[in-house]
Amino acid sequence: MTVNGLLQNTSKYSPILQATFGLERESLRINQENKVAQTNHPDKLGNRSFHPYIQTDYSEAQIELITPIGKTTQDVLRTLGAITDVAGRSINQDEYLWPLSMPPKLGKDDIHIAKLDDAWERQYREHLAESYGKIIQSISGIHYNIELGKDLVATLFEESNYDSLVHFKNDLYLKLAQNFLRYRWLLTYLYGASPIAEEGFLNTPLKQPVRSIRNSYLGYVNHTDIKVSYQSLEHYIADIERYVSGNQLTAEKEFYSPVRLRGSKHVRDYLTNGVTYLELRTFDLNPFDNRGITQETLDTVHLFILALLWLDSSSAIDQDITEASKLNDKIALSHPLDKLPEDAPVESILSAMQGIVDYFELSDYYQGLIDAIKNQIEHPEQTIAGRLLDEIDNLSLESFGQKQGQAFHDYAWQAPYALKGYENMELSTQLLMFDAIQKGVLLEILDENDQFIKLWHGDHVEYVKNANMTGKDSYITPLIMENKVVTKNYCQKLVSQFQKVKNSLIKLLRSAISHKSKTKLSSSNQNQLTLVLAFLFSRNLPT
């Protein structure tokens, strides 16, 4: 069985761009002395033990912004912008977020392990300090998570000769991971943005700027004795488990590959539950954008991932990954104005990207992304590292980082009553959404034009209209039923609850419907009953 050639044999009308996305962004908090902040994680941001959007990574000063799953790259970037906005206005007003992956000048005493409630997580960070050192932990970046769309995967599964969807998805994502490691050097060339390290960071200082310290062997990588095979999922799992059982890794998550197979807490569970998405960990912060990454980057990487599926697998994958890793190091540590080495197989990956655009007849926008890559290959000064070259002063980016970080901070405080990216919504709704993100209340926009949002924490769910009407308002029920999108969402929730409390709800329905019943329903039960009945009638289900 093979997953090679599937895209070439599927219908050109397949939902090739269907996917879901998630982003994780790390940044250091910097104080008014332009040093790493020594203050605690902001109280305004609630409790880190459950906050879904804003956490701390390694140190108390290293904030981590986490988006929920987005159905498009536009959705997920918009959400990252909003969370960035909330974070920027929730830290101390005399602090700002460092816009670069490499930290300003610091010492190990400037870095304090995050004060987490979880004792194991604190011990894990103490282990990392002992094993790798504290200073290396201050590097920041962006992780790009992607899951291929369910309809797309189903279409490809039907084209394949696999009997098991789990096995098919495992081979599909393993192939993507394999090819990602073979071609990630192109992303390092395009998006590398850590050209220098401030004084004292490296044991041996660099003599000239490079493309990406973070994406080279000088960045945050495992020790050289950790070598995990990608020959098969079984080899991958066995190697990681062997290193953990031999105490060479404290936990499975200490395997710092540029790409991770994701979907289960333990890698062995992939054999039964399947891999569900990939975590791409190679992206430096783009200091020219307040969110750390651009729309064009997200879409180019999406096209790049599809091209990896278009390409065939390697018959000697571990050997090829080793050679590709050497090529990646060569590119990462080259001067920002150096072109790609002649031995870089750039035509292979560009041809695959072009194949996707042509075969599936994608819009001119995607052709423009390929053209932009070709232009940057010919003109290295247009890459992020090339653009940063003009900002380097005496092998330092501190002045640029301070200026850019403060500019982004000032931007966050412009129109403090608004939420960046959602200015088209009513101000009252924007303020409510800001507060929800800040406190870690889960949020979903159900109907942007109608100002309908859903808030929930644990089992408590509220449907809110115009930021002031909730389930406490008896008029919310007809408003929900007038809106088809909100009604569908609400009814799906009720059906889910129905499965949990089926017998008691049937008893309630029978009691309420009976003419002889003297049962007096509460306002909340009346609302739920009305919507349940409406849903059942809409589905032609017996009541």
Side-chain angles (χ1 to χ4, degrees), residues 427-443:
L427 284 177
S428 57
T429 303
Q430 291 182 57
L431 289 169
L432 178 60
M433 291 169 61
F434 182 99
D435 290 344
I437 294 172
Q438 187 182 61
K439 295 303 181 185
V441 177
L442 288 162
L443 162 70

Side-chain angles (χ1 to χ4, degrees), residues 444-513:
E444 180 183 355
I445 299 174
L446 299 178
D447 191 321
E448 191 163 330
N449 293 327
D450 208 19
Q451 310 295 315
F452 244 122
I453 64 174
K454 175 183 174 182
L455 302 175
W456 73 99
H457 178 67
D459 293 330
H460 189 128
V461 179
E462 288 289 346
Y463 291 82
V464 186
K465 180 171 170 56
N466 298 334
N468 62 4
M469 282 186 261
T470 70
K472 302 291 185 183
D473 191 327
S474 61
Y475 193 62
I476 195 70
T477 301
L479 290 175
I480 290 176
M481 294 189 68
E482 286 176 2
N483 189 304
K484 293 181 179 179
V485 175
V486 181
T487 300
K488 181 179 179 181
N489 186 287
Y490 196 102
C491 287
Q492 286 174 342
K493 166 181 167 279
L494 289 177
V495 169
S496 176
Q497 291 177 339
F498 178 84
Q499 298 302 327
K500 296 178 182 178
V501 292
K502 184 176 180 180
N503 293 332
S504 60
L505 187 53
I506 289 175
K507 184 178 179 181
L508 171 66
L509 287 168
R510 287 173 175 169
S511 176
I513 292 171

Side-chain angles (χ1 to χ4, degrees), residues 2-21:
T2 179
V3 291
N4 287 334
L6 284 179
L7 287 185
Q8 291 88 332
N9 293 320
T10 194
S11 168
K12 67 178 182 179
Y13 301 110
S14 299
I16 188 64
L17 294 176
Q18 187 190 65
T20 54
F21 306 88

Side-chain angles (χ1 to χ4, degrees), residues 16 173 193 226 230 324 327 406 423 453:
I16 188 64
Y173 282 109
I226 304 297
Y230 281 82
L327 176 60
Q406 190 61 54
E423 293 89 346
I453 64 174

Side-chain angles (χ1 to χ4, degrees), residues 25-27 29 41-42 45-66 83 87 114 116-117 121 125 437 440:
R25 173 198 171 178
E26 307 148 349
S27 291
R29 290 185 291 113
H41 186 70
L45 294 174
N47 193 324
R48 284 172 283 184
S49 64
F50 70 81
H51 206 299
Y53 305 120
I54 304 175
Q55 292 278 337
T56 43
D57 195 77
Y58 176 82
S59 68
E60 190 70 4
Q62 191 175 40
I63 207 161
E64 183 176 20
L65 311 180
I66 307 165
I83 299 173
L116 303 174
D117 294 337
E121 287 291 344
R125 284 161 173 74
I437 294 172

